[in-house]
Amino acid sequence: MSFINTPPQISIPITGSAETFPVHQIYCVGRNYQKHISEMGYSQGKTVPFVLFLKPPDAVVQNGQTVCMPGFTNDFQHEVELVIAIKKEGSKISEKLALEYVFGYSVGIDLTCRDLQNEAKKKGRPWTFAKSLQNSAPISDITPVEKCGYLQEGNIQLSVNGNIRQKNDLKNMIRPVQKIISELSQFYTLFPGDIIFTGTPDGVGKLKKGDRIFAEIDGLEPLTITIN
Ligand code: MG
């Protein structure tokens, strides 16, 4: 088969490998740590809804790169998150089998225009302009599960210019990795190349030009990004 053109193929490096991970879809889960739910002012229901949005593949920013702050926001914020890389196709996956679909993990930042998100919430509009922007998903190189195991706990942390702003533990995720994969796959068929952001802990905050972000999760390649 031949194609009439060649759109950019977005991919993410894999630690210790010359091969890269081609990106298909980018799914993002919201409200997955209780303290973040509280800081965002959501009411405490008995069950936390499965909040989901998507980013385009060209949201990916490689480790070490600079992100230009969009000109239409006055409140550009960081959200450090564990990122899951999916290795095979599946739908309606049970929690028991979900980890078989994990290729590896990265550290990611869900860059968010909080002012536009708050405006969208008020007006009942989608979060697209707040969340689903190009260059809004810096991701560190993927560490395969063969090297880091299946992550259920461990420190997750983000610093800006050397000051720690976010610090929590993966064990505090309301929906752990296997539950996210299972629940997401009830709505979407997952494919190799899919990336899932798993939600941020508390401490999200505003960024300014010149900020240098360092994000880390135990056992994974850390992520460094500069804002301009
Ligand atoms: Mg997020």
Side-chain angles (χ1 to χ4, degrees), residues 12-15 21 81-88 98-108 139-151 170 177 181 191-198 217-221:
I12 303 168
I14 299 165
T15 56
F21 185 88
E81 310 194 6
L82 173 69
V83 173
I84 309 165
I86 296 293
K87 70 176 177 190
K88 62 177 185 177
L99 294 180
E100 291 179 11
Y101 291 77
V102 178
F103 171 76
Y105 302 96
S106 292
V107 181
I139 297 178
S140 70
D141 297 3
I142 297 170
T143 301
V145 288
E146 291 78 23
K147 287 191 180 159
C148 63
Y150 293 100
L151 300 187
L170 298 179
V177 171
I181 292 172
F191 288 97
D194 285 348
I195 292 290
I196 308 169
F197 277 66
T198 59
I217 292 173
D218 283 351
L220 302 183
E221 191 77 12

Side-chain angles (χ1 to χ4, degrees), residues 89-146:
E89 182 179 338
S91 66
K92 301 192 168 47
I93 301 164
S94 69
E95 278 184 51
K96 204 174 154 198
L97 296 179
L99 294 180
E100 291 179 11
Y101 291 77
V102 178
F103 171 76
Y105 302 96
S106 292
V107 181
I109 303 173
D110 167 17
L111 289 170
T112 302
C113 303
R114 192 73 68 204
D115 45 356
L116 300 192
Q117 188 192 23
N118 289 340
E119 184 82 1
K121 282 180 191 170
K122 254 186 245 160
K123 294 183 173 169
R125 292 177 183 164
W127 293 357
T128 313
F129 297 127
K131 288 282 197 181
S132 308
L133 301 169
Q134 291 164 327
N135 303 314
S136 65
I139 297 178
S140 70
D141 297 3
I142 297 170
T143 301
V145 288
E146 291 78 23

Side-chain angles (χ1 to χ4, degrees), residues 136-205:
S136 65
I139 297 178
S140 70
D141 297 3
I142 297 170
T143 301
V145 288
E146 291 78 23
K147 287 191 180 159
C148 63
Y150 293 100
L151 300 187
Q152 303 290 339
E153 58 179 26
N155 188 51
I156 174 169
Q157 184 172 316
L158 179 142
S159 308
V160 180
N161 305 323
N163 301 311
I164 297 174
R165 292 218 188 148
Q166 295 192 262
K167 184 173 175 59
N168 209 309
D169 195 294
L170 298 179
K171 71 177 182 210
N172 293 323
M173 289 201 291
I174 293 166
R175 287 178 170 84
V177 171
Q178 61 272 31
K179 192 160 177 59
I180 288 173
I181 292 172
S182 175
E183 216 157 330
L184 179 59
S185 72
Q186 308 305 311
F187 299 92
Y188 289 90
T189 298
L190 299 183
F191 288 97
D194 285 348
I195 292 290
I196 308 169
F197 277 66
T198 59
T200 191
D202 55 307
V204 300

Side-chain angles (χ1 to χ4, degrees), residues 8-74:
Q9 175 60 64
I10 310 296
S11 68
I12 303 168
I14 299 165
T15 56
S17 172
E19 293 181 311
T20 59
F21 185 88
V23 176
H24 180 239
Q25 306 259 52
I26 304 177
Y27 298 100
C28 304
V29 171
R31 302 186 207 177
N32 206 22
Y33 290 81
Q34 196 58 55
K35 282 186 177 172
H36 175 62
I37 293 174
S38 302
E39 77 178 348
M40 295 307 285
Y42 292 114
S43 57
Q44 312 279 328
K46 259 191 185 156
T47 49
V48 177
F50 186 61
V51 175
L52 186 78
F53 58 93
L54 280 81
K55 288 180 186 269
D58 61 3
V60 169
V61 176
Q62 308 289 342
N63 201 356
Q65 297 297 300
T66 295
V67 175
C68 287
M69 204 175 312
F72 44 78
T73 180
N74 291 310

